[in-house]
Amino acid sequence: AEKKNSTKIYVYCWRGGMRSRTVVNLLLLHGYDAVQIDGGFKRYMNDIVWKGLDRFSKQADTLPKFIVLFGNTGTRKTEILTHLPKNVPTLDLEGLAGHKGSLFGHVNSQVKAQKMFSIGLYHFLTDFRDEPYVFVEGEARKIGDCHVPEFIIQKINNDTNRILVQALVKTRVRVIREEYEITETSLKQIREATNSSVMIRNAGKKNVEHLNKLLNECNYDEFTKWLLLNHYDPRYRCNKQKFKYSLTVQSDDLQKCCQQLEKYYRSLLDNKEESNNS
């Protein structure tokens, strides 16, 4: 049969048995370039993904330097990663995890399992391992259900190119409201997170009652503002105040912010080239 296109299709089942073999034969019959992964998904995870990440962890000093975006919740850090020019490498860990990295991070998200997160991370590191610099957001050790490898956390905390992203409170409220668009499903998720034992322990029972009152009144802007100023900001100051920053940017104007960051990235490349030539 004539080939449909030049894209190779890799097919696997759990152990690389008859099911995937049958699918490959059907694809070949209809003109597709298909191959079966010998050993299946189990071998792929064990021999490629897990061993690959372990190899990267032992060679962490040869990986790209991280340019780490730090900033309060709602300062558009993840949005920046997706709006930088395509020729500027970015690693979106929250995107790989399908989670926004907070108590409410699962709302309006398709949460990924650890295996899928690890697959995405492995392939990113494989594809971009020769880049000198990569933008990444400062993350915790766990994003949703996904554990970030320790060597990635160490690079986030120790690589010296740190950017502080700031924005007006009104911008942050608007951004969060857009990300957590209110629907019947999302509102149920928000209520569950608000009344969780974690929130009660961190915010206190009276404050949780106040938050529920705002939700019942559909006062979502004030609900968001309260969480930002009274829950997230104090926790951020406690965790990140030890860092020194190479640059501070305002993300209220996203386009201007990305232009500043691209300029900073280009300056790092120029300095590296000059250093290599000297």
Side-chain angles (χ1 to χ4, degrees):
E2 183 181 350
K3 286 188 177 181
K4 301 283 185 181
N5 54 56
S6 59
T7 302
K8 188 180 291 292
I9 301 173
Y10 294 91
V11 181
Y12 57 82
C13 51
W14 182 242
R15 294 182 181 274
M18 287 300 298
R19 292 184 180 87
S20 55
R21 180 73 257 168
T22 300
V23 172
V24 166
N25 288 336
L26 286 171
L27 289 170
L28 292 172
L29 184 64
H30 288 83
Y32 292 94
D33 185 6
V35 293
Q36 181 187 31
I37 295 182
D38 188 28
F41 182 73
K42 187 174 182 180
R43 182 180 179 188
Y44 167 69
M45 288 300 302
N46 290 336
D47 291 358
I48 297 177
V49 176
W50 299 133
K51 288 184 179 179
L53 288 175
D54 182 62
R55 185 170 62 252
F56 282 129
S57 73
K58 295 174 181 177
Q59 302 170 351
D61 57 338
T62 68
L63 293 174
K65 296 290 185 182
F66 281 177
I67 305 173
V68 188
L69 302 180
F70 291 102
N72 286 327
T73 300
T75 52
R76 313 176 85 174
K77 300 182 294 295
T78 302
E79 197 174 354
I80 288 169
L81 294 179
T82 61
H83 279 76
L84 284 167
K86 290 185 177 180
N87 60 351
V88 177
T90 61
L91 170 56
D92 182 5
L93 292 170
E94 291 184 7
L96 293 180
H99 196 284
K100 302 181 186 72
S102 70
L103 182 62
F104 297 85
H106 62 292
V107 177
N108 289 338
S109 298
Q110 294 183 337
V111 179
K112 305 288 182 59
Q114 182 70 50
K115 286 181 180 179
M116 298 309 298
F117 173 83
S118 299
I119 289 170
L121 180 60
Y122 165 76
H123 283 291
F124 175 89
L125 294 174
T126 300
D127 293 342
F128 290 89
R129 59 186 167 188
D130 294 328
E131 294 287 342
Y133 300 100
V134 169
F135 278 92
V136 65
E137 185 177 345
E139 298 287 358
R141 283 179 162 78
K142 190 177 181 184
I143 307 174
D145 294 329
C146 300
H147 293 270
V148 181
E150 183 62 25
F151 73 94
I152 296 293
I153 294 298
Q154 290 301 316
K155 286 184 64 61
I156 287 174
N157 290 332
N158 296 328
D159 283 4
T160 57
N161 296 301
R162 304 185 186 101
I163 311 294
L164 179 61
V165 184
Q166 298 178 331
L168 297 173
V169 172
K170 66 178 182 180
T171 299
R172 296 168 60 201
V173 170
R174 175 177 57 79
V175 168
I176 295 297
R177 291 279 283 109
E178 290 174 356
E179 288 184 354
Y180 295 85
E181 180 184 1
I182 296 297
T183 64
E184 183 178 349
T185 299
S186 68
L187 186 56
K188 180 181 178 182
Q189 293 174 319
I190 290 170
R191 288 186 184 279
E192 289 174 349
T194 301
N195 292 285
S196 67
S197 59
V198 175
M199 179 58 76
I200 293 172
R201 182 173 65 248
N202 291 334
K205 189 174 181 180
K206 287 187 177 180
N207 286 325
V208 169
E209 290 174 357
H210 174 64
L211 290 171
N212 276 301
K213 182 174 180 292
L214 293 175
L215 287 176
N216 292 336
E217 295 170 350
C218 300
N219 196 344
Y220 303 126
D221 283 358
E222 283 301 315
F223 173 85
T224 302
K225 184 177 179 180
W226 192 98
L227 282 175
L228 290 176
L229 298 181
N230 298 284
H231 179 66
Y232 288 110
D233 287 6
R235 301 170 77 82
Y236 177 83
R237 283 195 296 270
C238 179
N239 292 332
K240 305 303 180 185
Q241 61 185 358
K242 62 182 179 181
F243 290 138
K244 294 182 179 179
Y245 299 100
S246 306
L247 179 69
T248 299
V249 295
Q250 297 292 132
S251 63
D252 303 280
D253 185 333
L254 187 63
Q255 182 178 3
K256 182 178 179 181
C257 177
C258 288
Q259 289 172 347
Q260 289 178 280
L261 293 174
E262 183 184 7
K263 183 178 179 180
Y264 177 79
Y265 169 75
R266 300 298 175 196
S267 70
L268 290 177
L269 293 182
D270 292 342
N271 291 337
K272 185 177 180 64
E273 185 175 354
E274 289 177 7
S275 177
N276 291 337
N277 293 332
S278 62

